[in-house]
Amino acid sequence: MDNAVGIIGGSGLYQLLEHHDSFMMTTPYGDPSSAIQSGVIAGKQVYFIARHGIQHEIPPHKVNYRANIQAFYNLGVRKLIATHAVGSLNPAMVSGDFVLSHQFVNRTWGRQDTFFDGPETVHVSASDPFCEDLRFLAEESLISSKYRFHNEAVMLVIQGPRFNTRAENRIYYHEGNDVISMTGYPEAVLARERGICYMSLGVVTDMACVLNSQDHPDLPTTHEDVVNNFAASVERMTAVLGVVLTKMEPEQCRCACAASLKGAHV
Ligand SMILES: [Zn+2]
């Protein structure tokens, strides 16, 4: 089958699935974050995992990223849409905007970030770590939805679970990062190692902006703001995902994601 679509994100997105069903599964890397929700959207088989568990009991640094990606792979998922609540360092990217990241910078540590721990050694390309085809598809969908969005962004992935200090944000901003996530890494590279197309549909939930101007006051980031702003965006995000899934066709991908292991073995 190998044509299923995966969605990983907040549990508020369950409402997406028509006639959904739920089942447990395990992998050689352990259990995924939640039971798998299975359903149909726009005529396509879709599987959903709640990245932080159903009760949001798994913090970003404790997510079993390998089990989640392996579960999707075993279910035949070859296209994966990851939703992310992101903080913005870029004053042009404001709360409520959608963001399609095209690059990431990894500042996490201690996470299991490869399926190839030896003796099989593999070096996959991460020059373009997000699937370009899916990103263009999402861009088309966002244009038709008329929501504000940014079709390129550098995603800084931090370890969490705390938010950044003001000094860290100043440094990260001047380094050229646009938005901040705690979960984009190693999800993106693990998907790449399994040949799965992976894209990030982010929504800005807080301004970690460092300019401290009248338009962009440098307010502290709070979990309450992030949760409230994400909740406010779930309906729009659901609508966008519906359009993306409607436009998605199996033969559409001309990307190299599926061939990621070609020439990558030592
Ligand atoms: Zn791809």
Side-chain angles (χ1 to χ4, degrees), residues 26-261:
T26 190
T27 78
Y29 305 97
D31 297 339
S33 296
S34 71
I36 314 294
Q37 302 285 323
S38 159
V40 175
I41 303 177
K44 296 179 182 68
Q45 176 63 52
V46 177
Y47 296 107
F48 181 93
I49 292 176
R51 185 189 285 119
H52 297 289
I54 301 295
Q55 305 297 328
H56 208 101
E57 69 275 21
I58 310 170
H61 61 294
K62 292 286 191 185
V63 170
N64 190 338
Y65 295 95
R66 291 199 299 185
N68 289 343
I69 297 297
Q70 187 65 41
F72 281 128
Y73 181 80
N74 290 351
L75 289 164
V77 167
R78 296 298 178 264
K79 292 187 174 74
L80 178 56
I81 303 171
T83 65
H84 290 112
V86 296
S88 173
L89 292 165
N90 183 336
M93 300 179 182
V94 300
S95 286
D97 284 5
F98 285 104
V99 178
L100 305 173
S101 292
H102 73 303
Q103 288 285 312
F104 69 70
V105 171
N106 172 40
R107 290 278 189 139
T108 70
W109 65 89
R111 300 184 180 189
Q112 301 271 6
D113 59 359
T114 180
F115 288 111
F116 300 100
D117 269 331
E120 189 182 8
T121 301
V122 164
H123 303 285
V124 292
S125 172
S127 297
D128 297 300
F130 300 99
C131 174
E132 295 282 283
D133 273 18
L134 285 187
R135 191 163 61 84
F136 292 143
L137 191 66
E139 182 181 353
E140 280 178 21
S141 306
L142 282 160
I143 289 170
S144 65
S145 74
K146 308 247 189 317
Y147 297 135
R148 271 179 59 98
F149 76 98
H150 307 273
N151 66 349
E152 285 193 346
V154 177
M155 174 199 281
L156 170 76
V157 190
I158 62 167
Q159 178 74 348
R162 69 168 175 86
F163 295 115
N164 289 334
T165 66
R166 293 178 200 276
E168 286 167 333
N169 279 339
R170 270 197 298 277
I171 292 167
Y172 295 145
Y173 172 64
H174 290 294
E175 282 179 348
N177 300 291
D178 296 305
V179 294
I180 306 167
S181 157
M182 293 182 191
T183 54
Y185 188 89
E187 224 170 62
V189 284
L190 290 168
R192 177 62 53 85
E193 284 189 349
R194 284 291 181 252
I196 298 172
C197 294
Y198 176 97
M199 65 154 281
S200 166
L201 178 63
V203 64
V204 177
T205 52
D206 64 287
M207 296 298 289
C209 182
V210 293
L211 298 186
N212 203 18
S213 65
Q214 195 175 354
D215 287 346
H216 302 291
D218 188 8
L219 300 173
T221 300
T222 67
H223 179 60
E224 192 180 3
D225 286 349
V226 170
V227 169
N228 290 341
N229 288 336
F230 192 77
S233 70
V234 164
E235 202 171 308
R236 290 185 307 134
M237 188 164 259
T238 308
V240 173
L241 286 170
V243 179
V244 172
L245 284 155
T246 305
K247 287 178 181 283
M248 199 180 272
E249 297 299 338
E251 65 276 14
Q252 224 162 18
C253 273
R254 294 173 302 277
C255 57
C257 305
S260 66
L261 295 184

